[in-house]
Amino acid sequence: MKRVIKTLAHRLGFWRLAYRLRRKPILAAFTFHRVTDHATAPEYYLGYDRGLDVREFRGQLDAIGEYFTVISLDKFRDIVLGHESPREHSALLTFDDADSEFIVHVLPALQKRNWPAVVFTPVDFVDSDKFFWHVCVGHLLRVMTEEDLGRVRSLTGLPKSVGAAIADGSRLSAQRRPEVARLLVRALNGLDDNEILDVVERIRQCCPGVSLPTIHTMNWREHRQVIQSGISVQSHTMHH
């Protein structure tokens, strides 16, 4: 019943009235990661790799604009520290990982609305051949050959959960690859960071002919373009 009432209230526009009548302003932060065009993007296996479709992203920005004034990181910080009090519902937009498609899909949408935002960059990934390990796993499962898979299956000394996920890939048809990629990522998530990187590197070495993933962070030139556009750039630590 509560869900029905909430749905009706939303469709009838009561939420807008509630927001406008609320005396105490709301301070919110909306966190995004990767935004892509699903109409032209490859059929990535993992949710992060596929990202949020740019059309859905624009719709979410429109919805945010209905209820909030989008503010800069500096203003958000001043409010949190008590140096300033918000006079209206205010929101900060953040984008983790500095994905290279930010320049293509996100920056134009923000510039169109003249909105500030903040990008959090894993500094050690910029202008390097380093990639998020889960991006490597998804990429390898998409492009590895049967010969590569045979070498992967011959690996010894792997953690039991990882070995089970790889063994499950013994029937690695095109239809099975997404599921195996998700199983492998789930198994790796149960390990500590050093173990994860070691296992992923061992799998990568089994695929000598595989190219680098196409998903990567913005380079420093693109970062400068983002900053010149009024977007704040902050550290997402060295290694995420």
Side-chain angles (χ1 to χ4, degrees):
M1 179 59 72
K2 288 183 179 179
R3 182 176 297 179
V4 172
I5 293 173
K6 288 181 179 180
T7 301
L8 286 174
H10 174 74
R11 291 184 176 178
L12 293 174
F14 290 163
W15 289 126
R16 294 186 180 88
L17 180 61
Y19 267 72
R20 292 191 177 98
L21 294 179
R22 181 184 171 97
R23 293 184 179 180
K24 186 177 181 180
I26 295 171
L27 180 65
F30 292 91
T31 301
F32 297 92
H33 287 79
R34 181 167 156 78
V35 178
T36 65
D37 184 352
H38 286 189
T40 59
E43 287 297 322
Y44 291 113
Y45 292 167
L46 303 175
Y48 176 91
D49 298 359
R50 188 153 177 74
L52 177 68
D53 182 65
V54 63
R55 283 158 286 274
E56 184 176 349
F57 172 68
R58 293 171 188 149
Q60 291 185 12
L61 293 188
D62 290 340
I64 290 170
E66 281 193 57
Y67 297 101
F68 295 93
T69 295
V70 176
I71 60 176
S72 67
L73 177 62
D74 288 341
K75 189 175 183 67
F76 186 88
R77 179 189 59 205
D78 287 342
I79 293 173
V80 170
L81 293 176
H83 301 326
E84 184 177 340
S85 297
R87 298 180 179 179
E88 54 195 344
H89 302 318
S90 303
L92 175 70
L93 305 183
T94 77
F95 297 84
D96 282 6
D97 305 337
D99 185 78
S100 61
E101 304 236 14
F102 182 93
I103 289 283
V104 180
H105 300 302
V106 178
L107 187 57
L110 297 177
Q111 289 178 317
K112 178 182 178 180
R113 296 165 173 80
N114 196 28
W115 281 0
V118 56
V119 172
F120 289 105
T121 299
V123 181
D124 207 34
F125 288 73
V126 181
D127 282 335
S128 78
D129 59 356
K130 298 179 180 179
F131 300 89
F132 299 129
W133 66 262
H134 55 83
V135 167
C136 286
V137 169
H139 178 68
L140 290 172
L141 263 295
R142 282 180 57 231
V143 300
M144 70 168 54
T145 65
E146 289 298 326
E147 290 77 13
D148 296 333
L149 176 60
R151 286 187 286 268
V152 172
R153 287 202 300 264
S154 69
L155 291 173
T156 59
L158 295 174
K160 184 177 180 180
S161 59
V162 174
I166 291 174
D168 201 39
S170 59
R171 306 173 301 280
L172 200 57
S173 65
Q175 293 75 24
R176 289 269 300 154
R177 289 185 180 230
E179 180 185 352
V180 174
R182 291 190 289 269
L183 287 173
L184 185 54
V185 167
R186 191 177 305 131
L188 288 165
N189 266 323
L191 309 179
D192 65 39
D193 291 345
N194 290 331
E195 280 186 298
I196 292 173
L197 296 178
D198 176 66
V199 171
V200 173
E201 177 59 21
R202 292 182 66 189
I203 295 174
R204 190 189 67 80
Q205 289 178 0
C206 292
C207 309
V210 169
S211 60
L212 294 175
T214 56
I215 299 172
H216 54 85
T217 61
M218 290 185 287
N219 59 37
W220 288 124
R221 177 185 57 79
E222 291 168 327
H223 274 84
R224 286 192 291 272
Q225 179 183 342
V226 166
I227 293 171
Q228 290 167 359
S229 300
I231 307 299
S232 175
V233 173
Q234 301 293 322
S235 172
H236 204 23
T237 75
M238 290 292 290
H239 312 291
H240 191 266

